[in-house]
Amino acid sequence: MRTLEELVKETRTAVIVVDVQNDYCHPDGALPLSGCDLSGVKSMMPNLQELLTQARANAVPIIFIQTFHEKATDSEAWVTRSSGRSSAVCRTGSWGAQFYEVCPEKEDVIVNKHRYSAFVNTRLDSVLHTLKVETLVMTGVSTNVCVESTARDGFMRDYNIVLVHDACASYSQKAHDMTVENIEGYFGKAATTPELIRCWEQSGHHSDEVLRPAQPAVS
């Protein structure tokens, strides 16, 4: 099994930023207002910001996953999730669906999703193949739901998975820790932001080695 250094040095890597949006992360967002604990989000945001800065400095592609929900995607099964608590989350065109304290730049890619996994009925797989990505560096919220769902589906599609556990967050430490254990046990590796940055600095990525789209396109 390859080491973390081998995964990020020898294969093409992309940072996947999952659902860092107001309804999940802002104190006035739908889930925090329903009682979800934001302490994990607050502690991970500086790490995520630093990871994104260093990814850009080392020409590592960044893919932002943005959830939208609307009547056209609200199946009967879907709207009953979380006992209906999530029915008002990230409605298309709403403030709650906007990004929270992250701002995609023109070289970054935005992929919209309507379910927990960013691979379900989206263009993510096509984007990754175009970029020749083999390793997914997973970040965002929540660790045990959308981040883990995307990581699991990515692994099933033969991508290497690296979960940056200090750059993602759940609404409980127990849930977060369970995903870290699951990923390390069955689906990939868990690492910290400093470990990832150190690997990139040592590997010396160059911008002409990584294919990037000219500007983001929203699906």
Side-chain angles (χ1 to χ4, degrees), residues 80-97:
T80 60
R81 72 194 189 285
S82 303
S83 301
R85 183 183 63 179
S86 298
S87 61
V89 171
C90 291
R91 305 305 293 178
T92 299
S94 69
W95 168 85

Side-chain angles (χ1 to χ4, degrees), residues 76-143:
E76 182 177 354
W78 182 247
V79 298
T80 60
R81 72 194 189 285
S82 303
S83 301
R85 183 183 63 179
S86 298
S87 61
V89 171
C90 291
R91 305 305 293 178
T92 299
S94 69
W95 168 85
Q98 295 174 12
F99 289 113
Y100 172 77
E101 293 189 0
V102 292
C103 184
E105 298 186 359
K106 68 177 183 178
E107 298 89 358
D108 303 331
V109 178
I110 299 172
V111 172
N112 293 340
K113 71 177 177 68
H114 310 291
R115 293 295 183 265
Y116 293 145
S117 171
F119 282 99
V120 173
N121 297 327
T122 75
R123 65 194 185 108
L124 178 58
D125 206 31
S126 294
V127 169
L128 294 171
H129 281 297
T130 299
L131 296 174
K132 297 182 172 60
V133 166
E134 297 176 10
T135 297
L136 308 184
V137 172
M138 300 300 306
T139 70
V141 296
S142 64
T143 316

Side-chain angles (χ1 to χ4, degrees), residues 161-174:
I161 301 299
V162 176
L163 177 73
V164 190
H165 58 83
D166 63 352
C168 57
S170 294
Y171 301 118
S172 81
Q173 190 63 44
K174 179 180 178 181

